[in-house]
Amino acid sequence: MPERPDRRPQPPSAAKRSGWRRPASPAAAPPSLPASAPPAAPAAPTPPDHRSVIDSAVYRDGHRVASPATLAETFRQLREEPDGMAWIGLHRPTEPELHSLAAEFNLHELAVEDALEAHQRPKLERYGDTLFVVLRAARYLDAQEEVDFAELHIFVGPDFLITVRHGSAPDLSAVRRRMEANPDLLALGPEAALYAILDAVVDGYAPVVEGVQTDIDEIETEVFRGDPAVSRRIYELSREMVEFQRATRPLVGMLHGLMAGFAKYGTDEELQRYLRDVADHVTHTSERVDGFRQALTEILTVNATLVSQQQNAEMRALAEAGFEQNEEIKKISSWAAILFAPTLVGTIYGMNFESMPELGWSFGYPLAICLMGMVCISLYVIFKRRDWL
């Protein structure tokens, strides 16, 4: 198998700054060129102007010194500021834009591919002196009573920070304003901006946690009230908590990984304090989300039990109603049979015929009455013994 070419970013003093930040001198011209020919300087790629560039700025010592309108202008301004830092914010950028950034800042092709495709799990990867961070931001939508998740990709290098958003959250403009209001912190470099973004994403989890807690309280009330639509709501909220777990659990390991590299990469003490605080908040949020999933599982079990009990009660009520109906039918049938005998005799002797037995007999009428009475009494005794009456 052929070896994969080395695409790791080089130190600032190497290919990136010599190739893009400083034009080549005439002495560096190839010997094959004529003496009168000017030296060929590498041309920076010209990225397209696109609305995906939300904000782009160049900072020096924590202060904004330029606000370029395009990526090409940002690249030029950064080359003119040897000690500057570029902070570029993008929203759903195009493939040419990301490739122009990759060429300018020597970004790894795998990280660029992940940023293009999105739908990545939260992670932190290091490619040479460049960090690639994937975060899952969340916000609670009060009107829909649901959690909305968005993906954020961050490239952090020695003199640049690039954010690629694939959703409406988080509001990085607020993070930028907060950092610009604290130039001493922003002067610590791209790592300070990265930790501020991490803090904003984690702080954005707090309203989601409160909203979910309110939903769970409402669901508990609906369960014991017997709301038939509560099962669907439990299922949908459980799915959202699975997504929430996928967003928060990896962050715990990511932040501990960053903290483990404090000594190796010489992280400023102030930034270390910020990161420890963010790690504490992430751990607390992750524990709350785990508790929500457990609570929803228990609520679903209780709801299934209550539904089963309600169904059993309805079946029992139907059975009792059927039993009572059968008893009434028995009584009606018994009385109908009792009344059928005299009706039959009376109907027969009520016919207008002259030649009928016992018509001229003086005891015929009393005998008919006695016969009807005996039949009725006999039937009554029989039905009474069988508990039909």
Side-chain angles (χ1 to χ4, degrees):
M1 249 181 106
E3 294 185 357
R4 174 181 292 182
D6 188 6
R7 296 180 178 269
R8 293 177 299 174
Q10 300 177 356
S13 60
K16 184 178 70 171
R17 291 204 178 272
S18 63
W20 301 110
R21 302 296 169 88
R22 298 194 185 106
S25 61
S32 58
L33 291 176
S36 60
T46 303
D49 186 8
H50 196 268
R51 294 181 181 178
S52 62
V53 180
I54 304 301
D55 194 0
S56 181
V58 176
Y59 299 88
R60 184 179 63 243
D61 298 329
H63 298 277
R64 183 188 286 240
V65 296
S67 301
T70 63
L71 293 180
E73 190 177 348
T74 303
F75 301 159
R76 182 181 60 79
Q77 292 281 353
L78 187 58
R79 294 191 202 103
E80 295 174 358
E81 294 288 342
D83 298 325
M85 178 193 81
W87 185 345
I88 303 172
L90 304 173
H91 182 255
R92 292 194 175 101
T94 62
E95 186 173 349
E97 285 177 322
L98 277 182
H99 284 309
S100 68
L101 289 166
E104 174 68 20
F105 297 113
N106 210 9
L107 305 179
H108 198 279
E109 59 181 350
L110 295 179
V112 173
E113 181 182 349
D114 288 345
L116 279 172
E117 294 181 357
H119 304 293
Q120 304 292 319
R121 62 176 180 83
K123 62 182 178 179
L124 184 148
E125 295 177 344
R126 185 177 292 276
Y127 299 97
D129 58 354
T130 301
L131 278 177
F132 177 61
V133 182
V134 179
L135 302 175
R136 295 291 303 277
R139 60 174 182 163
Y140 186 80
L141 305 178
D142 291 320
Q144 294 84 0
E145 293 187 338
E146 62 182 24
V147 183
D148 178 45
F149 296 94
E151 200 164 323
L152 175 64
H153 300 251
I154 308 171
F155 296 90
V156 185
D159 58 354
F160 66 88
L161 183 138
I162 303 168
T163 60
V164 179
R165 288 192 294 126
H166 290 277
S168 55
D171 183 10
L172 297 183
S173 60
V175 178
R176 190 187 290 262
R177 289 193 299 268
R178 182 162 63 90
M179 293 298 291
E180 290 178 349
N182 190 355
D184 292 336
L185 182 60
L186 185 57
L188 296 176
E191 274 192 335
L194 171 63
Y195 295 165
I197 294 173
L198 285 169
D199 185 51
V201 170
V202 174
D203 285 347
Y205 293 153
V208 178
V209 169
E210 297 303 321
V212 171
Q213 182 64 67
T214 302
D215 285 347
I216 291 179
D217 294 340
E218 293 176 356
I219 286 174
E220 289 178 343
T221 303
E222 293 173 358
V223 164
F224 290 100
R225 195 171 55 196
D227 191 337
V230 70
S231 298
R232 182 183 181 86
R233 190 176 181 187
I234 295 173
Y235 174 73
E236 292 176 349
L237 189 57
S238 298
R239 290 187 61 184
E240 291 176 356
M241 289 306 96
V242 170
E243 291 294 321
F244 208 178
Q245 276 187 327
R246 292 173 181 172
T248 56
R249 273 188 178 178
L251 269 180
V252 178
M254 289 167 55
L255 294 174
H256 282 87
L258 284 175
M259 291 191 300
F262 282 164
K264 180 179 179 180
Y265 296 100
T267 306
D268 185 83
E269 291 185 2
E270 186 68 15
L271 295 182
Q272 293 183 26
R273 297 189 190 99
Y274 274 103
L275 190 62
R276 291 192 185 97
D277 181 65
V278 174
D280 291 341
H281 290 171
V282 168
T283 302
H284 176 70
T285 301
S286 180
E287 291 174 352
R288 290 288 302 276
V289 175
D290 292 342
F292 289 156
R293 280 209 65 188
Q294 181 65 29
L296 287 170
T297 301
E298 294 174 355
I299 291 174
L300 189 61
T301 302
V302 171
N303 181 63
T305 302
L306 292 177
V307 170
S308 178
Q309 291 177 351
Q310 183 179 1
Q311 291 176 345
N312 291 338
E314 292 175 354
M315 293 293 293
R316 185 167 54 252
L318 288 174
E320 291 176 355
F323 177 77
E324 293 176 358
Q325 186 176 9
N326 290 336
E327 293 298 315
E328 294 297 328
I329 292 175
K330 288 180 180 179
K331 291 180 181 180
I332 294 172
S333 301
S334 300
W335 285 113
I338 292 173
L339 295 177
F340 176 73
T343 302
L344 177 62
V345 175
T347 301
I348 292 173
Y349 281 92
M351 292 187 295
N352 298 322
F353 291 102
E354 294 181 359
S355 300
M356 290 184 67
E358 291 84 28
L359 283 180
W361 187 33
S362 59
F363 295 103
Y365 177 73
L367 178 62
I369 295 297
C370 292
L371 179 62
M372 289 188 288
M374 291 176 59
V375 172
C376 291
I377 293 173
S378 301
L379 290 174
Y380 179 83
V381 172
I382 293 173
F383 291 140
K384 191 68 175 178
R385 288 180 178 179
R386 295 184 178 181
D387 295 327
W388 281 35
L389 293 174

